[in-house]
Amino acid sequence: MTLEYLMKHYQQRVDKQLDLCLPFANINPSRLHEAMRYSVFNGGKRIRPLLVYLTGKALGVDDIALDAPSCAVELIHAYSLVHDDLPAMDDDDLRRGKPSCHKAFDEATAILAGDALQSLAFELLSHNSEMIKTLAVAIGSRGMVGGQAIDIAAIGQSLNIAELENMHIHKTGALIRGCVKMGALASEMIDENLLNKLDHYAKCIGLAFQIKDDILDIEANTETLGKTQGADLANDKVTYPSLLGLTGAKEMATELIADAINSLNDLDQKADPLRWMASYILNRNY
């Protein structure tokens, strides 16, 4: 079994589950539901649901118990991208090679679609209070939304590497850490020590994920990225390459991935897909 096979398998699985839980576009208010579906089914790689599934599988959890949290984190991710692309935020017209939600529909519909996707995510987790708390913290003012606020405030400002890392631990890393924790929480045998090690894994891959995004913003093209190439530079954002140089940023990402893999030493071969996932994040080209 390979990571490529697992990615395809779980992409198909979570897409099927998402199709079942999202309102159909012909149900009123139809334009809102159409925008929600447009934003979810637009070619995403489903990295965050995959982390939920792979973490749960490493701990012997059945896929059925992982479907709801996997769908929830993808709905949250989709909502965050819809809002990030808005003119008041990153003001990006492209997302995954297609018009952003506010360009395909309109700003008001995009805002409401994001709101509704977030609400649906928590509805799916209504059976598990610990998962609700985990996701809420991951995406709130102490997590993803807080990181976005820091990002906006930092435009045109000078940041050092510690401040940049703090921003991305919140903006990108918090939801990734939430994905891994929710996958672990689905196991009845999880303990605090293993939770901490899995969280360290997730923290490392979350930062490496962002560093790689910063590198690709320079090295890849718009067609490959599916979003506007060079947007960080155009928006005068501080990035890892701007502080460390491309070579330094690549070295930091490599070190983080090695640290992530080492944190899984207590887990057996069932955790190999998590190890493969870490390497994939480092070596991806889009």
Side-chain angles (χ1 to χ4, degrees), residues 32-47:
L32 173 61
H33 292 151
E34 183 183 356
M36 292 167 66
R37 284 183 162 268
Y38 177 87
S39 301
V40 172
F41 297 113
N42 65 348
K45 297 184 289 293
R46 311 305 193 212
I47 297 297

Side-chain angles (χ1 to χ4, degrees), residues 8 26 33 42 54 70 107 147 161 198 205 207 218 265 286:
K8 183 176 180 180
N26 60 357
H33 292 151
N42 65 348
L54 295 186
S70 296
E107 284 187 48
I161 192 67
L198 286 167
I205 66 168
L207 282 174
I218 296 171
N265 284 342
Y286 61 94

Side-chain angles (χ1 to χ4, degrees), residues 21-41 75 78-79 82-83 101-102 104-120:
C21 72
L22 280 160
F24 290 110
N26 60 357
I27 297 175
N28 286 327
S30 57
R31 184 172 174 80
L32 173 61
H33 292 151
E34 183 183 356
M36 292 167 66
R37 284 183 162 268
Y38 177 87
S39 301
V40 172
F41 297 113
L75 292 171
Y79 125 72
V82 170
H83 282 195
C101 186
H102 70 277
F105 295 86
D106 55 73
E107 284 187 48
T109 301
I111 292 169
L112 293 173
D115 292 344
L117 290 170
Q118 180 182 177
S119 176
L120 180 57

Side-chain angles (χ1 to χ4, degrees), residues 84-118:
D84 280 357
D85 289 338
L86 290 167
M89 302 287 275
D90 289 346
D91 193 16
D92 207 320
D93 293 346
L94 281 179
R95 174 61 64 182
R96 295 167 177 162
K98 299 177 182 178
S100 301
C101 186
H102 70 277
K103 300 300 291 186
F105 295 86
D106 55 73
E107 284 187 48
T109 301
I111 292 169
L112 293 173
D115 292 344
L117 290 170
Q118 180 182 177

Side-chain angles (χ1 to χ4, degrees), residues 177-235:
R177 292 167 80 175
C179 293
V180 171
K181 184 175 181 179
M182 289 165 70
L185 287 173
S187 170
E188 297 179 354
M189 297 183 293
I190 192 71
D191 59 48
E192 196 67 26
N193 180 56
L194 186 52
L195 265 179
N196 288 336
K197 291 180 178 180
L198 286 167
D199 184 62
H200 185 72
Y201 164 87
K203 178 182 177 181
C204 290
I205 66 168
L207 282 174
F209 191 96
Q210 182 59 52
I211 295 170
K212 187 67 175 185
D213 268 3
D214 288 353
I215 292 168
L216 289 172
D217 190 65
I218 296 171
E219 293 188 336
N221 57 44
T222 296
E223 182 179 359
T224 301
L225 289 173
K227 58 182 180 180
T228 306
Q229 186 270 341
D232 291 338
L233 181 63
N235 290 329

